[in-house]
Amino acid sequence: MLAVGLALFALPTAGQAANLSSAGAYLAGSLDRNGCAHERGGTASANLSAWVAFGLVSAGRSASGPADCIERHARRLTTVTDLEVATLALVAAGRNPRNAGGRDLVKAIRSSLRRGRIGTLVASNQFGILALKAAGAPIPAAA
């Protein structure tokens, strides 16, 4: 996995393990029966599920529920950063972002390349580079 993945998913020290377990339990509790995450009283979303997947994997837990949610709702992801974050989450969960519910998220990210950058924002370019690298895709030279 790419260097940022190593930083995100670094192994905890013995003292941190208990805290990560509690945090992971809290995140797991945010998932509905379909594996989609939601804030208390809020609506479940694939985007929030991607962020929960990062936390679950970092806490040493399975992110299969959030990955299932992302795959089920991949066709509804519209912003470049949503596509990129979903790609990173699927890779972290051990899934294939090139076939997320029948949608190739890597291709969708690459199609947003314009005038040397991915998307229109610094964040979309940044997350685009990370997502493409994580998925094993070539990084556009201009990005």
Side-chain angles (χ1 to χ4, degrees), residues 8-36:
L8 285 172
F9 309 121
L11 295 175
T13 64
Q16 294 170 323
N19 290 337
L20 282 176
S21 179
S22 295
Y26 173 77
L27 292 172
S30 74
L31 302 175
D32 63 20
R33 61 186 165 81
N34 296 313
C36 296

Side-chain angles (χ1 to χ4, degrees), residues 110-138:
R110 289 188 61 78
S111 73
S112 70
L113 184 65
R114 301 282 187 277
R115 286 178 269 157
R117 62 181 181 212
I118 302 168
T120 58
L121 305 171
V122 170
S124 61
N125 198 68
Q126 163 193 318
F127 279 114
I129 292 168
L130 293 171
L132 293 174
K133 178 75 172 174

Side-chain angles (χ1 to χ4, degrees), residues 30-109:
S30 74
L31 302 175
D32 63 20
R33 61 186 165 81
N34 296 313
C36 296
H38 58 88
E39 297 288 354
R40 177 179 252 163
T43 304
S45 77
N47 187 275
L48 181 59
S49 299
W51 291 101
V52 167
F54 298 143
L56 290 172
V57 169
S58 295
R61 292 173 172 256
S62 170
S64 63
D68 289 344
C69 178
I70 294 164
E71 289 173 342
R72 217 175 9 265
H73 298 286
R75 295 209 178 272
R76 296 183 193 160
L77 299 172
T78 57
T79 70
V80 177
T81 51
D82 286 351
L83 294 165
E84 295 159 345
V85 171
T87 296
L88 288 165
L90 289 173
V91 170
R95 301 287 180 90
N96 181 2
R98 293 179 186 274
N99 185 16
R103 185 174 186 192
D104 185 340
L105 300 183
V106 174
K107 182 178 178 182
I109 293 167

